[in-house]
Amino acid sequence: MARYVYDFVEGNKDLKDLLGGKGANLAEMTRMGLPVPPGFTISTEACREYLLTGNMPVGLLAEVGEHLRLVQQRTGKRLGDPHNPLLLSVRSGGKFSMPGMMETILNIGLTDASVVGLAAQSHEERFAWDSFRRLIQMFGRTVFDVPADEFEAELTAARAAAGVATDGELSVADLQHLVDAYKKVFHAHTGRDFPQAPHEQLYLAIGSVFRSWNADRAVLYRRQERIPQDLGTAVNVMAMVFGNRGEDSGTGVAFTRDPATGRRGVYGDYLQNAQGEDVVAGIRNTMGLGELAGIDPGSYRELLSIMERLEQRYRDLCDIEFTIEHGKLWMLQTRVGKRTPAAAFVIAAQLIDEGTITLDEALRRVTGEQLALLMFPSFDLAAAPKALTTGVAASPGAAAGAIVFDSAHAAVAKRPVVLVRRETNPDDLPGMIAAQGILTSRGGKTSHAAVVARGMGKTCVCGAEELVIDVEAGTVTVAGTVLHEGDVISIDGTSGKVYAGAVPVHPSPVVRYFEGDLAPYGDPLLSAVQRLMTHADHVARLAVHANADTGPDAARARRFGATGVGLCRTEHMFLGQRRELVERLILAADDAERYAALAELLPLQRDDFAELFAEMDGQPVTVRLIDPPLHEFLPALEDLAARVARAEALGEDPGHDGVLLTAVRRMHESNPMLGLRGVRLGLVIPGLFAMQVRAVAEAAARRVAAGGDPRPEIMVPLVGTVQELETVRAEAEAVLAGIDGAPPIRIGTMIEVPRAALTAGQIAHAAEFFSFGTNDLTQMAWGFSRDDVEGAFFGRYLELGIFGASPFETIDVDGVGELVRIAVERGRAARPDLVVGVCGEHGGDPASVRFFDAAGLDYVSCSPFRVPIARLEAGRAQILTEGGSDSR
Ligand code: PEP
Ligand code: MG
C-alpha cells in the first residue's frame, strides 16, 4: 500500500521531492539531534492525489493517526486532552520555497474542553484563551473562507468595549467573550459550529493546506518563478511551541551570513513574547539578533552553535526560524537561504576559500540572472539630495517611480511606480511584480516585502518607520514633507535611503570592472565575480561572440570578454545621412543610376568594416548582408501622403515627395516581415550584395596590408532554400576572386526560416557556417509577428500559463528548439566541419545559452552587455550537465 506519512526521524534533507523543502530540512535537523518539536510530514504525493480526486487518499488518515500517537508519546501530551492538551501546527511546504503563498494553521487541538486544560496546565489563562481565539480566526479564514475582516471587526469591537488600545491588554473575560463572538461569525458563514473534535480540526486543516497549493496567489507566484504547477505541497504537522508566553519567550529568524552582502557573522531579527508569524509578517518591528545575547545568553549560545553545525551540514548560508519558550530554544525551520545576487557571488567565493566547496560547485551556485542584476546601475550618491529617511536595506538596487499605495493600481500603472505600503502581504504580489521598487514602513529584513523582493531581485526598502502613510488621504508624510500619490520618489535598496524626486543613477561597479575601470582586488564582490568568470571561461565549451555594428560596440564587447562578432547588422550602417544614398539606390531609373549610388555607398561601408576588423583583430567578424525591406529607409507612407496632399491642395508641385510617394506606394507590403527582405532583396536588386561583399573584402585586404589579422565572414539572411544561397554564393565568390590580398572569407547563412532548418542538409552544401536567427525563427515557427504580439496578447498568455516565459526571450525548447536540433544534426551530417552559432536575442538568455550548449552549437552571440552573462552560463552549462554536453 502507498505510504504517505513520514516521521521527522525518518526523512533527510535530500528528500525534498517527497517531503517538500521544509519537511526534508526538519527531518535533517531532527537527525542531527537539534531541538526540533516532534512531528511528521505528509508527502507531496498525498497532496497530488488529493488535488486529483478531491478526496483524502485511502489510508492517509489512519497513517496520520499512527504518527500522531508517536508525537503524543514523545511530548507526553494528548490531542484534545482536557488536562494537558497537545497542540499542533499544520504547515505547508513545497519542494521550492514559496514564502507566504500557501497556508499554515496553528493551535490545532484547542476546543472548549482543552482550552481549560491548557489554561490550568500552563497557569496562563490569558494565553490559553488568546490561543483559542487565534485558532478560530485562522481556521475559519483558511479552511472555510470566512472573511478575515469579520474577525478583525470583532477584535476591534472587543478592544473598544474594554477601552484598551492593543490586543495584549484584553483580559481573560474579554477574550472569552471574543471567542464566543468568533464562534458566531464562524457559524453565520459556515452554517455549522466550530469543530470541537480535535481530530476533525486536524483533518480539515490538512485538506485546506493541500488546497492552498492552488490558491490564486500561489499559482501566480509559481508562474513567475517558473516552478512547475503539478508538484503539490507536503504538510508538516508538528507539536506547537510558543514564543508568546512572556518575556522569557520569543521568536526569531537568523542567517548564518548576511543575505544582503554575504558578509560572515550573525544576522537576524528577534521579537520577544511573540509568535513566529509576527516576525515573518513584519507586523511588529524587531530587534537585532545580537540583543538576544543580553536577554537569554544560554539560548543565544546554543543558537550560535546550531548555526555553525547547520552551515557545516548544508555547506551554504542557512536561514533559520526559531522559537524560545520559557527559556528553551526550539528550531522550527531551516533551509539554504535566499540571498541577493551580490551575496550569492561573495558567499560562493568565501566557501571556496574556506575549503567547503570546489570551484565547480561555486559556479553552480551563481546564475546569469544574478549577474544580470548586478549589472544594473545604482544611485549617484554625490548627486543625491538629502535623504528623507532611512529604512532597512532589504533588497539592493536603485528604483525611482511615482508613489502608488495600492497594489492593484501598481499592477496597471503606465509609468514606473514605487509601491508604498505599511507592510505587504501575499495579495500584493501583482503590484510588487509591476513596481520598480517596494517601500514599507514596518517590518525588517525578513518581512514579507523583503523576502519576496529579494527573491524577485527587486529593490526594496522596508521598516522606514518615520513614514506616516495615509492611504485614505493619498499621502505619505516624513519629517514635515508631505508627498502625494503620483509624486516621484527614489529608493536605494543597498543603503535603505529614501529620496524625494528622481535621483540620478551611476553604473554598477561590476560593469565598471568589466570595462576595466575598476580593479577587483580588495573588493569582495568584484574579486568573486572575477574568480567565477575565470572559471566559467576555463570550463566552457561554447564560445561567446557579440552582436555589434560599430567599432565602439565591438570594443566594449571585447572588453566584456567576447571572442568575435557573431552578427554585424549592416543595415544599421545605411541610416543617418546615408539614407539619401539608399533613396537614390531605390529610385534609380536604370542600372547606371543604381551603380552610381552603390559606388558611393562602397567606401562608406568599407570604412565601417575596417573599424570593426580593427577592434576585433584576430577574431571572427560575421558580416550579415542587408536584411530589412528597403522601404524602411524611406519616409513613412502616411507622412509622405500628407505632405503631397498639402502641396497639391496649395496648388504647389510636390516635387521629390511625389516621386518618393510613388515609390513607397509601389513597394508597400501588407506583411513586410514576410516580404521582400533578406536574401530575396539581394537577388532582385542587382549589385547590392556584391557591393557589400566587395566592401568587406577590400577592408580586410587593406587591414592585412597594414599588418592586421582580420577574420571576416559573410552571412546571408533569411535563406529558405539552398538555391537562393547558391546563387548569392556564386556572385560573392566572383567578387572575392577579383580582390587581391584579402584573407580567406567564409560564406554562410542564417537559419531563421523553418524551411531552412528542415532542409539544413541541403543548405549546408552551400554554407560553411550556420547562425540561428532565433528572433525570426520564433516568429515564423509560431506564426506570430515579433513586432506586434508582445503588447497584444502575451500578457494574457503568460497569465493563462500558456507560456512560462515569452518565447522571444527564452528559447521555446519544444518547438523552435526542435528546429534548431534538426538543423544542427542535418547540417553537420552533410558537412561535418560546419560551424554553428546563434545570434538571435536568445543568445544572451541564461536558460537558452544552456540549451544551445546542449544542442551542440559552437558559439552564442548576444548584445555586448550580455556577453558576461552568456560567458557565465556557457561555463555553467558544462558543469550542470554531467560530464558536459559535447555532442559533437
Ligand atoms: C534573428 O532573426 O534572430 C536575427 C538575429 O536577425 P534580426 O533580428 O536582425 O532579424
Ligand atoms: Mg532575422
Side-chain angles (χ1 to χ4, degrees):
M1 205 178 78
R3 181 178 170 197
Y4 297 113
V5 185
Y6 297 80
D7 194 280
F8 289 166
V9 295
E10 296 177 290
N12 66 60
K13 69 180 168 46
D14 300 321
L15 294 177
K16 292 195 178 62
D17 285 327
L18 184 72
L19 304 177
K22 185 178 299 199
N25 290 327
L26 280 167
E28 187 74 23
M29 288 199 291
T30 304
R31 288 163 74 93
M32 289 168 71
L34 304 184
V36 177
F40 53 86
T41 303
I42 302 168
S43 70
T44 54
E45 200 183 328
C47 176
R48 287 194 293 273
E49 210 165 311
Y50 177 88
L51 293 176
L52 201 69
T53 62
N55 294 311
M56 288 287 178
V58 179
L60 173 63
L61 297 186
E63 267 190 76
V64 168
E66 293 278 306
H67 284 83
L68 186 58
R69 251 190 301 286
L70 287 174
V71 175
Q72 297 188 141
Q73 257 171 30
R74 289 201 197 108
T75 55
K77 296 177 180 181
R78 213 160 46 76
L79 197 64
D81 190 329
H83 303 294
N84 187 16
L86 169 70
L87 302 191
L88 296 171
S89 65
V90 178
R91 294 170 194 270
S92 56
K95 177 176 179 185
F96 301 104
S97 160
M98 296 169 50
M101 297 297 145
M102 292 185 290
E103 296 296 355
T104 286
I105 304 172
L106 306 178
N107 301 339
I108 291 284
L110 276 175
T111 60
D112 290 350
S114 66
V115 70
V116 180
L118 181 65
Q121 171 255 334
S122 65
H123 308 293
E124 293 163 49
E125 235 188 326
R126 204 191 160 281
F127 156 74
W129 285 95
D130 189 45
S131 302
F132 195 19
R133 73 98 189 157
R134 284 175 190 249
L135 168 65
I136 302 171
Q137 190 170 352
M138 228 182 206
F139 189 89
R141 189 179 56 70
T142 309
V143 183
F144 287 94
D145 291 326
V146 181
D149 33 343
E150 301 222 3
F151 290 118
E152 278 307 319
E154 291 296 344
L155 188 58
T156 310
R159 281 196 305 262
V164 298
T166 63
D167 301 347
E169 296 165 84
L170 293 172
S171 69
V172 172
D174 297 333
L175 288 166
Q176 286 169 336
H177 279 126
L178 189 59
V179 163
D180 282 340
Y182 274 12
K183 283 184 185 162
K184 290 201 183 92
V185 170
F186 186 90
H187 193 279
H189 275 275
T190 62
R192 57 163 293 175
D193 287 334
F194 178 75
Q196 291 291 337
H199 286 82
E200 188 190 2
Q201 289 178 5
L202 176 61
Y203 301 151
L204 287 170
I206 291 169
S208 81
V209 171
F210 282 158
R211 287 193 301 279
S212 72
W213 174 260
N214 280 335
D216 290 348
R217 64 187 186 209
V219 173
L220 176 64
Y221 184 84
R222 287 195 294 271
R223 226 175 256 154
Q224 271 286 317
E225 299 292 317
R226 319 251 168 96
I227 298 172
Q229 297 286 358
D230 58 358
L231 298 178
T233 180
V235 182
N236 299 291
V237 178
M238 184 158 83
M240 285 288 299
V241 290
F242 293 93
N244 56 344
R245 299 185 80 164
E247 299 303 298
D248 62 349
S249 304
T251 186
V253 187
F255 301 91
T256 55
R257 298 175 196 233
D258 185 345
T261 64
R263 222 165 283 130
R264 264 163 283 202
V266 178
Y267 295 85
D269 302 312
Y270 185 68
L271 197 54
Q272 226 169 341
N273 195 12
Q275 281 280 62
E277 266 45 40
D278 302 337
V279 182
V280 178
I283 289 167
R284 280 162 53 186
N285 287 320
T286 52
M287 59 177 86
L289 189 60
E291 290 183 49
L292 179 62
I295 298 169
D296 183 347
S299 296
Y300 183 70
R301 269 197 307 276
E302 189 182 356
L303 181 65
L304 292 198
S305 102
I306 288 174
M307 283 164 71
E308 202 166 315
R309 287 186 59 198
L310 285 174
E311 266 243 345
Q312 278 163 12
R313 177 64 61 113
Y314 284 88
R315 302 183 309 124
D316 206 344
L317 172 155
C318 294
D319 75 24
I320 293 157
E321 280 178 37
F322 66 92
T323 280
I324 298 173
E325 183 178 45
H326 291 322
K328 160 92 183 114
L329 174 70
W330 293 100
M331 303 301 291
L332 299 191
Q333 175 173 316
T334 192
R335 63 184 170 192
V336 168
K338 294 202 175 184
R339 64 205 70 188
T340 61
F345 277 84
V346 170
I347 291 172
Q350 281 169 356
L351 291 171
I352 304 169
D353 288 338
E354 289 165 20
T356 309
I357 61 173
T358 61
L359 269 164
D360 277 1
E361 176 68 36
L363 189 54
R364 274 193 279 275
R365 291 188 184 185
V366 294
T367 65
E369 286 89 351
Q370 287 168 331
L371 183 60
L373 288 169
L374 287 172
M375 292 173 71
F376 283 130
S378 56
F379 286 137
D380 178 356
L381 293 180
K386 192 171 162 309
L388 284 174
T389 185
T390 302
V392 177
S395 182
I403 296 172
V404 282
F405 294 114
D406 182 301
S407 287
H409 291 168
V412 298
K414 294 273 182 287
R415 56 178 177 151
V417 294
V418 173
L419 181 64
V420 180
R421 310 270 297 160
R422 270 163 60 87
E423 65 239 355
T424 61
N425 64 52
D427 294 330
D428 289 315
L429 197 62
M432 297 173 78
I433 293 168
Q436 304 296 304
I438 298 138
L439 171 63
T440 70
S441 58
R442 323 270 332 226
K445 271 193 183 172
T446 46
S447 64
H448 176 267
V451 172
V452 175
R454 268 204 302 277
M456 291 181 193
K458 190 145 284 195
T459 302
C460 176
V461 172
C462 60
E465 290 172 50
E466 287 174 339
L467 298 182
V468 181
I469 300 171
D470 186 339
V471 176
E472 307 273 88
T475 58
V476 48
T477 311
V478 54
T481 306
V482 182
L483 298 168
H484 296 87
E485 178 139 27
D487 288 351
V488 173
I489 52 166
S490 301
I491 59 172
D492 186 336
T494 313
S495 68
K497 292 202 167 19
V498 180
Y499 305 93
V503 176
V505 290
H506 80 127
S508 94
V510 172
V511 169
R512 293 185 58 203
Y513 153 69
F514 286 130
E515 289 284 13
D517 295 344
L518 276 185
Y521 315 106
D523 182 298
L525 172 60
L526 298 184
S527 39
V529 168
Q530 181 183 49
R531 200 155 173 192
L532 291 165
M533 292 301 294
T534 306
H535 188 57
D537 290 343
H538 180 66
V539 295
R541 184 190 61 78
L542 210 54
V544 179
H545 296 183
N547 296 353
D549 313 328
T550 64
D553 269 0
R556 163 176 269 192
R558 199 157 198 178
R559 290 196 297 276
F560 280 27
T563 51
V565 167
L567 172 64
C568 161
R569 290 181 165 101
T570 51
E571 58 270 17
H572 292 173
M573 299 165 167
F574 285 13
L575 298 174
Q577 291 164 346
R578 303 181 192 178
R579 226 184 242 273
E580 192 231 330
L581 286 172
V582 182
E583 233 177 75
R584 278 174 44 200
L585 176 71
I586 297 170
L587 299 179
D590 52 30
D591 280 357
E593 278 187 32
R594 186 170 39 253
Y595 281 109
L598 287 171
E600 280 193 60
L601 277 167
L602 176 70
L604 303 172
Q605 283 263 275
R606 204 167 45 212
D607 289 350
D608 298 328
F609 298 140
E611 203 184 326
L612 273 179
F613 298 155
E615 295 295 355
M616 267 295 158
D617 199 57
Q619 305 283 18
V621 174
T622 309
V623 175
R624 182 179 72 183
L625 304 180
I626 190 164
D627 179 41
L630 283 187
H631 63 73
E632 282 196 9
F633 301 95
L634 299 181
L637 177 64
E638 301 78 29
D639 297 347
L640 271 175
R643 286 212 297 266
V644 170
R646 196 178 316 118
E648 284 171 350
L650 294 172
E652 295 168 2
D653 178 5
H656 188 57
D657 279 348
V659 181
L660 274 181
L661 180 61
T662 313
V664 169
R665 286 219 168 102
R666 178 166 39 83
M667 298 171 80
H668 179 76
E669 292 173 305
S670 300
N671 286 307
M673 286 304 256
L674 297 177
L676 182 59
R677 56 172 288 223
V679 65
R680 305 159 195 169
L681 202 60
L683 293 175
V684 301
I685 307 216
L688 178 57
F689 275 9
M691 178 277 288
Q692 291 195 292
V693 171
R694 175 174 295 279
V696 169
E698 287 180 358
R702 288 182 193 188
R703 181 136 188 92
V704 170
D709 180 14
R711 311 230 172 138
E713 300 181 340
I714 286 171
M715 180 155 77
V716 184
L718 221 76
V719 164
T721 169
V722 69
Q723 286 81 5
E724 290 170 320
L725 188 60
E726 282 169 352
T727 312
V728 172
R729 190 180 181 92
E731 184 187 12
E733 281 175 347
V735 172
L736 294 178
I739 296 163
D740 289 336
I745 298 181
R746 291 194 299 192
I747 299 175
T749 180
M750 296 195 68
I751 300 287
E752 48 190 345
V753 176
R755 192 181 186 285
L758 298 174
T759 60
Q762 297 167 12
I763 292 179
H765 288 296
E768 283 150 274
F769 64 88
F770 284 175
S771 177
F772 288 99
T774 45
N775 305 332
D776 273 308
L777 194 58
T778 300
Q779 162 171 273
M780 295 193 217
W782 282 87
F784 45 44
S785 153
R786 62 199 255 199
D787 300 314
D788 300 324
V789 291
E790 300 210 57
F793 64 83
F794 269 30
R796 183 72 183 134
Y797 266 41
L798 290 165
E799 212 174 275
L800 291 170
I802 294 171
F803 298 149
S806 161
F808 285 118
E809 273 168 38
T810 290
I811 191 90
D812 153 36
V813 170
D814 296 338
V816 179
E818 187 62 12
L819 288 168
V820 170
R821 282 187 288 250
I822 288 172
V824 171
E825 195 192 308
R826 296 184 187 173
R828 288 223 176 101
R831 184 191 281 264
D833 63 349
L834 184 76
V835 174
V836 185
V838 56
C839 61
E841 281 304 296
H842 306 84
D845 169 68
S848 309
V849 171
R850 296 196 296 273
F851 166 79
F852 295 128
D853 181 76
L857 267 58
D858 297 295
Y859 69 88
V860 294
S861 187
C862 55
S863 72
F865 206 70
R866 296 220 277 179
V867 164
I869 298 160
R871 283 168 54 203
L872 189 76
E873 289 295 347
R876 294 185 73 237
Q878 284 296 294
I879 52 166
L880 289 174
T881 53
E882 251 176 14
S885 59
D886 192 347
S887 61
R888 299 192 60 182

